[in-house]
Amino acid sequence: MAKTDVPPRYLYVFAHGAGAGMHHPFMERASEALDRHGIATHRYEFPYMKAGKSRPDSPAVAEAAVREAVSEASRKRLPLLAGGKSFGGRM
């Protein structure tokens, strides 16, 4: 997460797309842009990406990963937004 002088007002739970993980340049740039507007990001990876596989997880596995990420992010005590790029946004 990029650091700015704008205190975060929201936390965006931000999922990556099917072909690239949470450190992809798009994800980095989007997180930095959001941060400048007081929206911190909580990026996470789906299990298939962590395992180095190219095929995305089934919807049930991916949805469980989203629930886990939202649960973890909720501990930050900020209002949450959730979404992502392509596959991540659909989950």
Side-chain angles (χ1 to χ4, degrees):
M1 173 173 26
K3 301 293 180 197
T4 67
D5 292 334
V6 177
R9 295 170 297 165
Y10 301 95
L11 181 59
Y12 181 47
V13 184
F14 193 13
H16 61 79
M22 68 182 189
H23 297 293
H24 185 273
F26 170 82
M27 300 288 287
E28 297 280 345
R29 288 190 309 271
S31 293
E32 290 168 3
L34 289 165
D35 189 60
R36 288 192 295 272
H37 295 283
I39 302 170
T41 56
H42 175 85
R43 288 181 277 166
Y44 62 98
E45 290 195 311
F46 291 103
Y48 79 94
M49 189 63 69
K50 286 182 190 176
K53 297 178 181 176
S54 60
R55 183 179 172 150
D57 298 309
S58 69
V61 171
E63 290 166 3
V66 171
R67 285 191 296 276
E68 182 179 334
V70 168
S71 177
E72 184 178 323
S74 71
R75 289 182 236 149
K76 300 288 185 188
R77 307 255 185 232
L78 288 169
L80 298 180
L81 307 166
K85 181 180 185 310
S86 189
F87 173 78
R90 290 190 306 273
M91 291 303 110

Coordinates of all heavy atoms in Angstrom, one line a residue:
M1 N 0.8 -1.2 0.0 CA 0.0 0.0 0.0 C 0.9 1.2 0.0 O 1.8 1.3 0.8 CB -0.9 0.0 1.2 CG -1.7 1.2 1.4 SD -3.0 1.2 2.8 CE -2.4 0.0 3.9
A2 N 0.6 2.2 -0.9 CA 1.3 3.4 -0.9 C 1.0 4.3 0.3 O -0.2 4.2 0.8 CB 1.0 4.2 -2.2
K3 N 1.9 5.0 0.8 CA 1.7 5.9 1.9 C 1.6 7.3 1.5 O 2.4 7.8 0.7 CB 2.8 5.7 2.9 CG 3.0 4.3 3.5 CD 1.8 3.9 4.3 CE 2.1 2.5 4.8 NZ 0.9 1.9 5.2
T4 N 0.6 8.0 2.0 CA 0.4 9.5 1.7 C 0.0 10.1 3.0 O -0.2 9.5 4.0 CB -0.7 9.7 0.7 OG1 -2.0 9.3 1.2 CG2 -0.5 9.0 -0.6
D5 N -0.2 11.4 2.9 CA -0.6 12.2 4.1 C -2.1 12.2 4.3 O -2.6 12.7 5.3 CB -0.1 13.6 4.0 CG 1.4 13.7 4.1 OD1 2.0 12.9 4.7 OD2 2.0 14.7 3.6
V6 N -2.8 11.6 3.3 CA -4.3 11.5 3.4 C -4.7 10.3 4.3 O -4.4 9.2 3.9 CB -4.9 11.4 2.0 CG1 -6.5 11.3 2.1 CG2 -4.6 12.6 1.1
P7 N -5.3 10.6 5.4 CA -5.7 9.4 6.3 C -6.8 8.6 5.6 O -7.7 9.1 4.9 CB -6.2 10.0 7.6 CG -6.6 11.4 7.2 CD -5.7 11.8 6.0
P8 N -6.7 7.3 5.6 CA -7.7 6.4 5.0 C -9.0 6.6 5.6 O -9.2 6.6 6.8 CB -7.1 5.0 5.1 CG -6.2 5.1 6.3 CD -5.7 6.5 6.3
R9 N -10.0 6.7 4.7 CA -11.4 6.8 5.2 C -12.2 5.5 4.9 O -13.2 5.2 5.5 CB -12.1 7.9 4.5 CG -11.6 9.3 4.9 CD -12.2 10.4 4.0 NE -11.7 10.1 2.6 CZ -12.2 10.6 1.6 NH1 -13.2 11.5 1.6 NH2 -11.8 10.3 0.4
Y10 N -11.6 4.7 3.9 CA -12.2 3.5 3.5 C -11.1 2.5 3.2 O -9.9 2.8 3.0 CB -13.0 3.6 2.1 CG -14.1 4.6 2.2 CD1 -14.0 5.9 1.8 CD2 -15.4 4.2 2.7 CE1 -15.0 6.8 1.9 CE2 -16.4 5.1 2.8 CZ -16.2 6.4 2.4 OH -17.3 7.3 2.5
L11 N -11.5 1.2 3.2 CA -10.5 0.1 2.8 C -11.2 -0.7 1.7 O -12.3 -1.2 1.9 CB -10.2 -0.7 4.0 CG -9.2 -1.9 3.8 CD1 -7.9 -1.4 3.4 CD2 -9.1 -2.7 5.1
Y12 N -10.5 -0.7 0.6 CA -10.9 -1.5 -0.6 C -10.3 -2.8 -0.6 O -9.0 -2.9 -0.7 CB -10.5 -0.6 -1.8 CG -10.9 -1.2 -3.2 CD1 -12.2 -1.7 -3.4 CD2 -10.1 -1.3 -4.2 CE1 -12.6 -2.2 -4.6 CE2 -10.4 -1.8 -5.5 CZ -11.7 -2.2 -5.6 OH -12.1 -2.7 -6.9
V13 N -11.1 -3.9 -0.5 CA -10.6 -5.2 -0.6 C -10.5 -5.6 -2.1 O -11.5 -5.7 -2.8 CB -11.5 -6.2 0.2 CG1 -11.0 -7.6 0.2 CG2 -11.8 -5.7 1.6
F14 N -9.2 -5.6 -2.6 CA -8.9 -5.6 -4.0 C -8.3 -6.9 -4.5 O -7.2 -7.3 -4.2 CB -7.9 -4.4 -4.1 CG -7.6 -3.9 -5.5 CD1 -8.4 -4.3 -6.6 CD2 -6.6 -3.1 -5.7 CE1 -8.1 -3.8 -7.9 CE2 -6.3 -2.6 -7.0 CZ -7.1 -3.0 -8.1
A15 N -9.1 -7.6 -5.3 CA -8.7 -8.9 -5.9 C -8.1 -8.7 -7.3 O -8.5 -7.9 -8.1 CB -9.9 -9.8 -6.0
H16 N -7.1 -9.5 -7.6 CA -6.4 -9.5 -8.8 C -7.2 -10.2 -9.9 O -8.1 -10.9 -9.6 CB -5.0 -10.1 -8.7 CG -5.0 -11.5 -8.3 ND1 -5.3 -12.6 -9.2 CD2 -4.8 -12.1 -7.1 CE1 -5.2 -13.7 -8.5 NE2 -4.9 -13.4 -7.2
G17 N -6.8 -10.0 -11.2 CA -7.4 -10.8 -12.3 C -6.8 -12.2 -12.4 O -5.9 -12.6 -11.7
A18 N -7.3 -12.9 -13.4 CA -6.9 -14.3 -13.6 C -5.5 -14.5 -14.0 O -4.9 -15.5 -13.6 CB -7.8 -15.0 -14.6
G19 N -4.9 -13.6 -14.7 CA -3.6 -13.8 -15.3 C -2.4 -13.2 -14.5 O -1.3 -13.5 -14.8
A20 N -2.7 -12.4 -13.5 CA -1.6 -11.7 -12.8 C -2.0 -11.5 -11.4 O -3.1 -11.3 -11.1 CB -1.3 -10.4 -13.5
G21 N -1.0 -11.6 -10.5 CA -1.3 -11.5 -9.0 C -1.4 -10.1 -8.5 O -1.4 -9.1 -9.2
M22 N -1.4 -10.0 -7.2 CA -1.6 -8.8 -6.5 C -0.5 -7.8 -6.6 O -0.7 -6.6 -6.3 CB -1.9 -9.0 -5.0 CG -0.8 -9.5 -4.2 SD -1.4 -9.8 -2.5 CE 0.2 -10.1 -1.7
H23 N 0.7 -8.2 -7.1 CA 1.8 -7.2 -7.3 C 1.9 -6.8 -8.8 O 2.9 -6.1 -9.1 CB 3.1 -7.9 -6.8 CG 3.0 -8.2 -5.4 ND1 3.0 -7.2 -4.4 CD2 3.0 -9.4 -4.7 CE1 2.9 -7.8 -3.2 NE2 2.9 -9.1 -3.4
H24 N 1.0 -7.1 -9.6 CA 1.0 -6.7 -11.0 C 1.0 -5.1 -11.1 O 0.4 -4.5 -10.2 CB -0.2 -7.2 -11.7 CG -0.2 -6.9 -13.2 ND1 -0.7 -5.8 -13.7 CD2 0.2 -7.7 -14.2 CE1 -0.6 -5.8 -15.0 NE2 0.0 -6.9 -15.4
P25 N 1.8 -4.6 -12.0 CA 1.8 -3.1 -12.1 C 0.5 -2.4 -12.1 O 0.3 -1.3 -11.5 CB 2.6 -2.8 -13.4 CG 3.5 -4.0 -13.5 CD 2.6 -5.2 -13.0
F26 N -0.5 -3.0 -12.7 CA -1.9 -2.4 -12.7 C -2.4 -2.3 -11.3 O -2.9 -1.2 -10.8 CB -2.9 -3.2 -13.5 CG -4.3 -2.7 -13.3 CD1 -4.8 -1.6 -14.0 CD2 -5.1 -3.4 -12.4 CE1 -6.1 -1.1 -13.8 CE2 -6.4 -2.9 -12.2 CZ -6.9 -1.8 -12.9
M27 N -2.2 -3.3 -10.5 CA -2.7 -3.4 -9.1 C -1.9 -2.3 -8.3 O -2.5 -1.7 -7.4 CB -2.5 -4.8 -8.5 CG -3.3 -5.9 -9.3 SD -5.1 -5.8 -9.0 CE -5.2 -6.4 -7.3
E28 N -0.6 -2.2 -8.5 CA 0.2 -1.3 -7.8 C -0.3 0.2 -8.1 O -0.5 1.0 -7.2 CB 1.6 -1.4 -8.2 CG 2.3 -2.7 -7.8 CD 2.7 -2.9 -6.4 OE1 2.8 -1.8 -5.7 OE2 2.9 -4.0 -6.0
R29 N -0.5 0.5 -9.4 CA -0.9 1.8 -9.8 C -2.3 2.2 -9.3 O -2.5 3.3 -8.8 CB -0.8 2.0 -11.3 CG 0.6 2.1 -11.8 CD 0.6 2.5 -13.3 NE -0.3 1.7 -14.2 CZ 0.1 0.5 -14.8 NH1 1.3 0.1 -14.6 NH2 -0.8 -0.1 -15.5
A30 N -3.2 1.2 -9.4 CA -4.5 1.5 -8.9 C -4.5 1.7 -7.4 O -5.2 2.6 -6.9 CB -5.4 0.3 -9.2
S31 N -3.8 0.9 -6.6 CA -3.7 1.1 -5.2 C -3.1 2.4 -4.8 O -3.6 3.1 -3.9 CB -2.8 0.0 -4.6 OG -3.5 -1.3 -4.7
E32 N -2.1 2.9 -5.5 CA -1.5 4.2 -5.3 C -2.5 5.3 -5.6 O -2.6 6.3 -4.8 CB -0.2 4.3 -6.1 CG 0.9 3.4 -5.6 CD 2.1 3.4 -6.6 OE1 2.1 4.1 -7.6 OE2 3.0 2.6 -6.3
A33 N -3.2 5.2 -6.7 CA -4.2 6.2 -7.0 C -5.3 6.3 -6.0 O -5.7 7.4 -5.6 CB -4.8 5.9 -8.4
L34 N -5.8 5.1 -5.5 CA -6.9 5.1 -4.5 C -6.4 5.7 -3.2 O -7.1 6.5 -2.6 CB -7.3 3.7 -4.3 CG -8.2 3.1 -5.5 CD1 -8.3 1.6 -5.3 CD2 -9.5 3.8 -5.5
D35 N -5.1 5.4 -2.9 CA -4.6 5.9 -1.6 C -4.5 7.4 -1.6 O -4.7 8.0 -0.5 CB -3.2 5.3 -1.4 CG -2.6 5.5 0.0 OD1 -3.2 5.1 1.0 OD2 -1.6 6.2 0.0
R36 N -4.2 8.0 -2.7 CA -4.2 9.4 -2.8 C -5.5 10.1 -2.5 O -5.6 11.3 -2.1 CB -3.7 9.9 -4.1 CG -2.2 9.7 -4.3 CD -1.6 10.4 -5.6 NE -2.2 9.9 -6.8 CZ -1.7 8.9 -7.5 NH1 -0.7 8.2 -7.1 NH2 -2.3 8.5 -8.7
H37 N -6.6 9.3 -2.5 CA -7.9 9.8 -2.3 C -8.5 9.3 -1.0 O -9.7 9.3 -0.8 CB -8.8 9.5 -3.5 CG -8.4 10.1 -4.7 ND1 -8.7 11.5 -5.0 CD2 -7.7 9.7 -5.8 CE1 -8.2 11.8 -6.1 NE2 -7.6 10.7 -6.7
G38 N -7.6 8.8 -0.1 CA -8.1 8.3 1.2 C -8.7 6.9 1.2 O -9.5 6.6 2.1
I39 N -8.4 6.1 0.2 CA -8.9 4.8 0.1 C -7.7 3.8 0.2 O -7.0 3.7 -0.8 CB -9.8 4.5 -1.2 CG1 -10.9 5.5 -1.2 CG2 -10.3 3.1 -1.2 CD1 -11.7 5.5 -2.5
A40 N -7.5 3.2 1.3 CA -6.5 2.2 1.4 C -6.9 0.9 0.7 O -8.1 0.7 0.5 CB -6.2 1.9 2.9
T41 N -5.9 0.1 0.4 CA -6.3 -1.2 -0.3 C -5.7 -2.3 0.5 O -4.7 -2.3 1.1 CB -5.7 -1.3 -1.7 OG1 -4.3 -1.0 -1.7 CG2 -6.4 -0.2 -2.6
H42 N -6.5 -3.4 0.5 CA -6.1 -4.7 1.1 C -6.1 -5.7 -0.1 O -7.1 -6.1 -0.6 CB -7.1 -5.1 2.1 CG -6.9 -6.5 2.7 ND1 -6.0 -6.7 3.7 CD2 -7.3 -7.7 2.3 CE1 -5.9 -8.0 4.0 NE2 -6.8 -8.6 3.1
R43 N -4.9 -5.9 -0.7 CA -4.8 -6.8 -1.8 C -4.5 -8.2 -1.2 O -3.8 -8.4 -0.2 CB -3.6 -6.4 -2.7 CG -4.0 -5.1 -3.5 CD -2.9 -4.7 -4.4 NE -2.0 -3.9 -3.7 CZ -0.8 -3.6 -4.1 NH1 -0.3 -4.1 -5.2 NH2 0.0 -2.9 -3.3
Y44 N -5.0 -9.2 -2.0 CA -4.7 -10.6 -1.6 C -4.7 -11.4 -2.8 O -5.1 -11.0 -3.9 CB -5.9 -11.1 -0.7 CG -7.2 -11.1 -1.3 CD1 -7.8 -12.2 -1.9 CD2 -8.0 -9.9 -1.4 CE1 -9.0 -12.2 -2.5 CE2 -9.2 -9.9 -2.0 CZ -9.7 -11.0 -2.5 OH -11.0 -11.0 -3.1
E45 N -4.2 -12.7 -2.7 CA -4.1 -13.6 -3.8 C -5.0 -14.8 -3.6 O -5.2 -15.2 -2.5 CB -2.7 -14.0 -4.1 CG -1.9 -12.9 -4.6 CD -0.5 -13.3 -5.2 OE1 0.2 -14.0 -4.5 OE2 -0.3 -12.8 -6.3
F46 N -5.6 -15.3 -4.7 CA -6.4 -16.5 -4.7 C -5.4 -17.7 -4.5 O -4.3 -17.6 -4.9 CB -7.2 -16.6 -6.0 CG -8.3 -15.6 -6.1 CD1 -8.2 -14.5 -6.9 CD2 -9.4 -15.7 -5.3 CE1 -9.2 -13.5 -7.0 CE2 -10.5 -14.8 -5.4 CZ -10.3 -13.7 -6.2
P47 N -5.9 -18.8 -4.0 CA -5.1 -19.9 -3.8 C -4.3 -20.4 -5.0 O -3.1 -20.8 -4.9 CB -6.1 -21.0 -3.3 CG -7.1 -20.2 -2.6 CD -7.3 -19.0 -3.5
Y48 N -4.9 -20.4 -6.2 CA -4.2 -20.9 -7.4 C -3.0 -20.1 -7.7 O -1.9 -20.6 -8.1 CB -5.1 -21.0 -8.6 CG -5.4 -19.7 -9.3 CD1 -4.6 -19.3 -10.4 CD2 -6.4 -18.8 -8.9 CE1 -4.8 -18.0 -11.0 CE2 -6.6 -17.6 -9.5 CZ -5.9 -17.2 -10.5 OH -6.1 -16.0 -11.2
M49 N -3.1 -18.8 -7.4 CA -1.9 -17.9 -7.7 C -0.8 -18.1 -6.7 O 0.3 -18.1 -7.0 CB -2.4 -16.4 -7.7 CG -1.4 -15.4 -8.2 SD -0.9 -15.5 -9.9 CE -2.3 -15.1 -10.8
K50 N -1.2 -18.3 -5.4 CA -0.2 -18.6 -4.4 C 0.5 -19.9 -4.7 O 1.7 -20.0 -4.4 CB -0.9 -18.7 -3.0 CG -1.4 -17.5 -2.4 CD -2.0 -17.8 -1.0 CE -2.7 -16.6 -0.4 NZ -3.3 -16.9 0.8
A51 N -0.2 -20.9 -5.3 CA 0.4 -22.2 -5.6 C 1.2 -22.2 -6.9 O 1.8 -23.2 -7.3 CB -0.7 -23.2 -5.6
G52 N 1.2 -21.0 -7.6 CA 1.9 -20.9 -8.9 C 1.2 -21.6 -10.1 O 1.8 -21.9 -11.1
K53 N -0.1 -21.9 -9.9 CA -0.9 -22.5 -11.0 C -1.4 -21.4 -12.0 O -1.6 -20.3 -11.6 CB -2.0 -23.3 -10.4 CG -1.6 -24.5 -9.5 CD -2.8 -25.2 -8.9 CE -2.3 -26.3 -8.0 NZ -3.4 -27.0 -7.4
S54 N -1.7 -21.8 -13.2 CA -2.2 -20.9 -14.2 C -3.7 -20.9 -14.3 O -4.3 -19.9 -14.7 CB -1.6 -21.1 -15.5 OG -1.9 -22.4 -16.0
R55 N -4.3 -22.0 -13.9 CA -5.8 -22.1 -14.0 C -6.4 -21.5 -12.7 O -6.1 -22.0 -11.6 CB -6.2 -23.6 -14.2 CG -7.6 -23.7 -14.3 CD -8.0 -25.2 -14.6 NE -9.4 -25.3 -14.5 CZ -10.1 -26.2 -15.2 NH1 -9.4 -27.1 -15.9 NH2 -11.4 -26.3 -15.1
P56 N -7.4 -20.6 -12.9 CA -8.1 -20.1 -11.7 C -8.8 -21.1 -10.9 O -9.2 -22.2 -11.4 CB -9.0 -19.0 -12.3 CG -8.5 -18.7 -13.6 CD -7.8 -19.9 -14.1
D57 N -9.0 -20.8 -9.6 CA -9.8 -21.7 -8.7 C -11.2 -21.8 -9.2 O -11.7 -20.9 -9.9 CB -9.7 -21.1 -7.3 CG -8.3 -21.1 -6.8 OD1 -7.6 -22.1 -6.8 OD2 -7.9 -20.0 -6.2
S58 N -11.9 -22.8 -8.7 CA -13.4 -22.9 -8.9 C -14.0 -21.7 -8.2 O -13.5 -21.1 -7.2 CB -13.9 -24.2 -8.3 OG -13.8 -24.2 -6.9
P59 N -15.2 -21.3 -8.6 CA -15.9 -20.2 -7.9 C -16.1 -20.5 -6.4 O -15.9 -19.5 -5.6 CB -17.3 -20.2 -8.6 CG -17.0 -20.7 -10.0 CD -16.0 -21.8 -9.8
A60 N -16.3 -21.7 -6.0 CA -16.5 -22.0 -4.5 C -15.2 -21.7 -3.8 O -15.2 -21.0 -2.7 CB -16.9 -23.4 -4.3
V61 N -14.0 -22.1 -4.3 CA -12.8 -21.8 -3.7 C -12.4 -20.3 -3.7 O -12.0 -19.7 -2.7 CB -11.6 -22.6 -4.4 CG1 -10.3 -22.2 -3.9 CG2 -11.9 -24.1 -4.1
A62 N -12.7 -19.7 -4.9 CA -12.4 -18.3 -5.0 C -13.3 -17.4 -4.1 O -12.8 -16.5 -3.4 CB -12.6 -17.8 -6.4
E63 N -14.5 -17.8 -4.0 CA -15.5 -17.1 -3.1 C -15.1 -17.2 -1.6 O -15.2 -16.3 -0.9 CB -16.9 -17.5 -3.3 CG -17.4 -17.0 -4.7 CD -18.7 -17.7 -5.1 OE1 -19.2 -18.6 -4.3 OE2 -19.1 -17.5 -6.3
A64 N -14.6 -18.4 -1.3 CA -14.1 -18.6 0.1 C -12.9 -17.7 0.4 O -12.7 -17.1 1.5 CB -13.7 -20.0 0.3
A65 N -12.0 -17.5 -0.6 CA -10.8 -16.6 -0.5 C -11.3 -15.2 -0.3 O -10.7 -14.5 0.5 CB -9.9 -16.8 -1.7
V66 N -12.3 -14.8 -1.0 CA -12.9 -13.4 -0.9 C -13.4 -13.2 0.5 O -13.1 -12.2 1.2 CB -14.0 -13.2 -1.9 CG1 -14.6 -11.8 -1.6 CG2 -13.4 -13.2 -3.3
R67 N -14.2 -14.2 1.0 CA -14.7 -14.1 2.4 C -13.6 -14.0 3.4 O -13.7 -13.2 4.4 CB -15.6 -15.3 2.7 CG -17.0 -15.2 2.0 CD -18.0 -16.2 2.5 NE -17.5 -17.6 2.3 CZ -17.8 -18.2 1.1 NH1 -18.4 -17.7 0.1 NH2 -17.3 -19.5 1.0
E68 N -12.6 -14.8 3.2 CA -11.4 -14.7 4.2 C -10.7 -13.3 4.1 O -10.4 -12.8 5.1 CB -10.4 -15.8 3.8 CG -9.2 -15.9 4.8 CD -8.3 -17.0 4.4 OE1 -8.7 -18.0 3.8 OE2 -7.1 -16.8 4.7
A69 N -10.5 -12.8 2.9 CA -9.9 -11.5 2.8 C -10.8 -10.4 3.4 O -10.2 -9.5 4.1 CB -9.6 -11.2 1.3
V70 N -12.1 -10.5 3.2 CA -13.0 -9.5 3.8 C -12.9 -9.6 5.3 O -12.9 -8.5 6.0 CB -14.4 -9.6 3.2 CG1 -15.4 -8.8 4.0 CG2 -14.4 -9.2 1.7
S71 N -12.9 -10.8 5.8 CA -12.9 -11.0 7.2 C -11.6 -10.4 7.8 O -11.6 -9.7 8.8 CB -12.9 -12.4 7.6 OG -12.8 -12.7 9.0
E72 N -10.5 -10.6 7.2 CA -9.2 -10.1 7.6 C -9.2 -8.6 7.5 O -8.8 -7.9 8.4 CB -8.1 -10.7 6.7 CG -6.7 -10.2 7.2 CD -5.6 -10.9 6.3 OE1 -5.7 -12.0 5.9 OE2 -4.6 -10.1 6.1
A73 N -9.7 -8.0 6.4 CA -9.7 -6.6 6.2 C -10.6 -5.9 7.3 O -10.3 -4.7 7.7 CB -10.2 -6.2 4.8
S74 N -11.7 -6.5 7.7 CA -12.6 -5.9 8.6 C -12.0 -5.6 9.9 O -12.5 -4.7 10.7 CB -13.8 -6.8 8.8 OG -13.5 -8.0 9.5
R75 N -10.9 -6.2 10.2 CA -10.2 -5.9 11.5 C -9.5 -4.6 11.5 O -9.1 -4.1 12.6 CB -9.1 -7.0 11.8 CG -9.7 -8.3 12.1 CD -8.7 -9.4 12.4 NE -9.0 -10.5 11.5 CZ -8.1 -11.3 11.0 NH1 -6.9 -11.2 11.3 NH2 -8.5 -12.3 10.2
K76 N -9.4 -3.9 10.4 CA -8.8 -2.6 10.3 C -9.8 -1.5 10.8 O -9.4 -0.3 10.9 CB -8.4 -2.3 8.8 CG -7.4 -3.2 8.3 CD -6.0 -3.0 9.0 CE -5.0 -3.9 8.3 NZ -3.8 -4.0 9.0
R77 N -11.0 -1.8 11.0 CA -12.0 -0.9 11.5 C -12.3 0.3 10.6 O -12.5 1.4 11.1 CB -11.7 -0.5 12.9 CG -11.4 -1.6 13.9 CD -12.6 -1.7 14.8 NE -12.3 -2.8 15.8 CZ -13.1 -3.8 16.0 NH1 -14.2 -3.9 15.4 NH2 -12.7 -4.6 16.9
L78 N -12.3 0.1 9.3 CA -12.6 1.1 8.3 C -13.8 0.6 7.5 O -14.0 -0.6 7.4 CB -11.5 1.4 7.4 CG -10.3 2.1 7.9 CD1 -9.1 2.1 6.9 CD2 -10.6 3.6 8.2
P79 N -14.7 1.5 7.0 CA -15.7 1.0 6.1 C -15.1 0.3 4.9 O -14.1 0.7 4.3 CB -16.4 2.3 5.7 CG -16.1 3.3 6.7 CD -14.7 2.9 7.2
L80 N -15.7 -0.9 4.5 CA -15.1 -1.7 3.5 C -15.8 -1.5 2.1 O -17.0 -1.3 2.1 CB -15.2 -3.2 3.8 CG -14.4 -3.6 5.1 CD1 -14.6 -5.1 5.2 CD2 -13.0 -3.3 5.0
L81 N -15.0 -1.6 1.1 CA -15.5 -1.7 -0.3 C -14.8 -2.9 -0.8 O -13.7 -3.3 -0.4 CB -15.0 -0.5 -1.1 CG -15.3 0.9 -0.6 CD1 -14.5 2.0 -1.3 CD2 -16.8 1.2 -0.7
A82 N -15.4 -3.6 -1.8 CA -14.8 -4.8 -2.3 C -15.0 -4.9 -3.8 O -16.0 -4.5 -4.3 CB -15.4 -6.1 -1.6
G83 N -14.0 -5.4 -4.5 CA -14.0 -5.5 -5.9 C -12.7 -6.0 -6.4 O -11.9 -6.5 -5.7
G84 N -12.5 -5.9 -7.7 CA -11.2 -6.3 -8.3 C -11.2 -6.1 -9.8 O -12.1 -5.6 -10.4
K85 N -10.1 -6.7 -10.3 CA -9.9 -6.6 -11.8 C -10.4 -7.9 -12.4 O -9.9 -9.0 -12.0 CB -8.4 -6.4 -12.1 CG -8.1 -6.3 -13.5 CD -6.6 -6.1 -13.7 CE -6.2 -5.9 -15.1 NZ -6.7 -6.9 -16.1
S86 N -11.3 -7.9 -13.4 CA -11.7 -9.0 -14.2 C -12.2 -10.2 -13.3 O -13.2 -10.0 -12.6 CB -10.5 -9.4 -15.1 OG -11.0 -10.4 -16.0
F87 N -11.5 -11.3 -13.3 CA -11.8 -12.5 -12.5 C -12.1 -12.1 -11.0 O -13.0 -12.5 -10.4 CB -10.7 -13.5 -12.6 CG -10.9 -14.7 -11.6 CD1 -11.8 -15.7 -11.9 CD2 -10.1 -14.8 -10.5 CE1 -12.0 -16.8 -11.1 CE2 -10.3 -15.9 -9.6 CZ -11.2 -16.9 -9.9
G88 N -11.1 -11.3 -10.4 CA -11.3 -10.9 -9.0 C -12.5 -10.1 -8.8 O -13.1 -10.2 -7.7
G89 N -12.9 -9.2 -9.7 CA -14.1 -8.4 -9.5 C -15.4 -9.3 -9.6 O -16.4 -9.0 -8.9
R90 N -15.3 -10.3 -10.4 CA -16.5 -11.2 -10.6 C -16.7 -12.1 -9.3 O -17.8 -12.4 -8.9 CB -16.4 -12.1 -11.8 CG -16.5 -11.4 -13.1 CD -16.6 -12.3 -14.3 NE -15.6 -13.3 -14.4 CZ -14.4 -13.0 -15.0 NH1 -14.1 -11.9 -15.5 NH2 -13.5 -14.0 -15.1
M91 N -15.6 -12.4 -8.7 CA -15.7 -13.2 -7.5 C -16.2 -12.4 -6.3 O -16.9 -12.9 -5.4 CB -14.4 -13.9 -7.1 CG -13.9 -14.9 -8.1 SD -15.1 -16.3 -8.4 CE -15.7 -15.9 -10.0

